[in-house]
């Protein structure tokens, strides 16, 4: 939306971007508002199907510029395969993050290796957490452009009640020294709300967005922190909610009752798409607004 602020205000659609020109003190300056959609953990076929069905209209209705998603549960709840990653990219997702399930399908290692030499190939736009031990396959961050706007995506994993990876706080510090884009999106894939909230405060004003993933339950604490970082503790799962975090509920209840090894299967009912929409200023990298989305 192009807005010229002189004696009158004029609004025009312009290449999906929201440009605001301001006549102030005899000089003109402009800012571009970038609108980002982030879709929470896509779980199995039900999650993939609702994304395929609803994403085109969601992008159109909200004038979305950049689409991001966590795809760690795309393959029947456990990991992601190369064909499924390609399928999600073809739906219009620009960058996929993951988390603790990233290695569940071993073929994803070859997919990561195939990206070597092409900084913007689909395989390079699939991330695993950046704070995994040095030398692991894949990348934990991505820098690209959408239209003429540079942006970066960073994937981190928590350490509380999870595997003891490298310190996500200090890994974020290191990455922020290297990343050139002003618009920086961070997916913190973590179990503990405290760890995610602490990372939000720690990165406030240094990145554009910090969202939590992994617990598959959307939280109602979305806000823009004082220094301009949009934050939510968990975006929620995109998949079947007639379940225990995506898995058939009777299997999980049985596991709790018996403590016997149980083969988990993806549930199918009450499918929802959970996401957030964030508006940010591409010049400063500061967020202006974050809204929760839940579609059925
Ligand atoms: Fe997940
Ligand atoms: Fe996870």
């Amino acid at each position: 939306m192009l807005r010229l602020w002189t004696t009158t205000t004029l609004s025009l659609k312009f290449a999906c971007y929201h440009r605001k020109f301001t006549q102030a003190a005899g000089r003109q300056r402009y800012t571009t508002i970038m609108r980002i959609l982030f879709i929470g953990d896509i779980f199995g076929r039900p999650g993939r199907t609702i994304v395929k069905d609803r994403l085109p209209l969601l992008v159109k209705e909200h004038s979305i510029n950049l689409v991001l998603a966590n795809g760690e549960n795309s393959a029947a709840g456990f990991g992601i395969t190369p064909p499924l990653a390609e399928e999600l990219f073809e739906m219009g997702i620009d960058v996929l993050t993951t988390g603790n399930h990233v290695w569940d399908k071993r073929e994803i290692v070859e997919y990561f290796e195939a990206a070597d030499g092409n900084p913007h190939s689909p395989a390079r736009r699939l991330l695993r957490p950046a704070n995994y031990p040095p030398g692991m396959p894949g990348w934990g961050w991505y820098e690209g452009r959408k239209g003429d706007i540079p942006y970066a995506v960073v994937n981190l994993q928590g350490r509380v009640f999870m595997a003891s990876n490298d310190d996500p706080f200090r890994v974020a510090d290191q990455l922020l020294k290297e990343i050139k884009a002003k618009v920086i999106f961070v997916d913190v894939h973590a179990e503990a709300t405290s760890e995610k909230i602490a990372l939000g405060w720690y990165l406030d004003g240094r990145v554009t967005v910090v969202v939590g993933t992994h617990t598959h339950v959307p939280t109602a604490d979305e806000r823009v922190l004082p220094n301009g970082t949009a934050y939510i503790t968990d975006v929620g799962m995109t998949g079947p909610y007639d379940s225990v975090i995506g898995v058939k509920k009777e299997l999980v209840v049985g596991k709790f009752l018996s403590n016997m090894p149980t083969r988990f299967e993806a549930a199918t009912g009450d499918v929802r798409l959970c996401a957030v929409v964030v508006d940010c200023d591409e010049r400063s990298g500061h967020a202006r607004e974050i809204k929760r989305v839940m579609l059925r």
Side-chain angles (χ1 to χ4, degrees):
M1 197 76 74
L2 177 68
R3 287 190 172 166
L4 291 168
W5 293 91
T6 52
T7 52
T8 58
T9 300
L10 173 67
S11 294
L12 293 170
K13 277 260 182 191
F14 180 64
C16 295
Y17 294 108
H18 308 258
R19 284 183 187 272
K20 178 179 280 186
F21 286 75
T22 304
Q23 191 89 39
R27 65 189 174 87
Q28 208 171 51
R29 65 186 174 82
Y30 72 89
T31 57
T32 300
I33 304 302
M34 188 181 207
R35 186 165 288 167
I36 305 169
L37 175 74
F38 179 87
I39 301 168
D41 303 44
I42 299 170
F43 198 101
R45 184 183 297 277
R48 302 195 315 270
T49 301
I50 195 170
V51 172
K52 186 176 183 181
D53 291 347
R54 306 300 293 272
L55 184 59
L57 194 57
L58 196 54
V59 166
K60 190 176 176 187
E61 284 186 341
H62 291 266
S63 300
I64 300 294
N65 304 127
L66 178 66
V67 182
L68 312 172
N70 185 300
E72 72 150 5
N73 307 112
S74 301
F78 299 92
I80 184 167
T81 63
L84 291 182
E86 299 274 335
E87 181 183 313
L88 292 170
F89 286 128
E90 283 169 16
M91 289 179 200
I93 295 168
D94 294 293
V95 180
L96 282 165
T97 56
T98 59
N100 55 303
H101 284 291
V102 67
W103 309 126
D104 287 358
K105 299 288 182 282
R106 293 297 298 170
E107 56 266 44
I108 210 64
V109 172
E110 284 181 20
Y111 189 61
F112 280 134
E113 289 167 355
D116 201 14
N118 183 345
H120 304 291
S121 67
R124 182 60 188 83
R125 289 182 282 117
L126 173 68
L127 303 181
R128 49 83 172 157
N131 55 316
Y132 280 5
M136 299 291 278
W139 293 264
W141 80 102
Y142 171 77
E143 269 202 277
R145 299 179 83 89
K146 195 66 195 268
D148 57 356
I149 303 177
Y151 72 94
V153 181
V154 174
N155 197 180
L156 297 169
Q157 186 169 311
R159 298 191 296 181
V160 178
F161 311 128
M162 300 186 86
S164 55
N165 288 298
D166 289 350
D167 180 347
F169 292 77
R170 291 182 176 84
V171 168
D173 286 340
Q174 289 165 9
L175 288 176
L176 292 180
K177 286 177 190 167
E178 298 169 20
I179 289 172
K180 296 180 180 66
K182 291 283 188 186
V183 175
I184 304 172
F185 191 101
V186 181
D187 174 359
V188 179
H189 196 79
E191 189 77 43
T193 51
S194 58
E195 192 176 23
K196 291 193 257 195
I197 294 169
L199 263 164
W201 286 114
Y202 187 67
L203 297 174
D204 181 25
R206 296 196 286 155
V207 305
T208 309
V209 192
V210 174
V211 298
T213 57
H214 176 69
T215 57
H216 292 196
V217 178
T219 57
D221 62 338
E222 73 277 11
R223 56 181 161 163
V224 177
L225 297 173
N227 295 316
T229 295
Y231 176 81
I232 187 168
T233 297
D234 206 292
V235 176
M237 172 184 67
T238 293
Y241 276 74
D242 182 21
S243 70
V244 176
I245 62 170
V247 174
K248 286 181 178 175
K249 54 187 184 291
E250 56 276 14
L251 298 177
V252 180
V253 172
K255 166 79 174 169
F256 276 111
L257 288 172
S258 69
N259 213 18
M260 290 289 285
T262 306
R263 182 181 168 82
F264 286 156
E265 295 173 25
T268 56
D270 189 13
V271 181
R272 308 183 197 184
L273 186 157
C274 282
V276 289
V277 175
V278 178
D279 278 3
C280 65
D281 178 333
E282 60 103 0
R283 284 202 151 188
S284 66
H286 290 163
R288 295 189 170 191
E289 188 175 31
I290 176 169
K291 286 182 180 171
R292 264 182 294 140
V293 173
M294 181 187 280
L295 302 178
R296 296 175 187 233

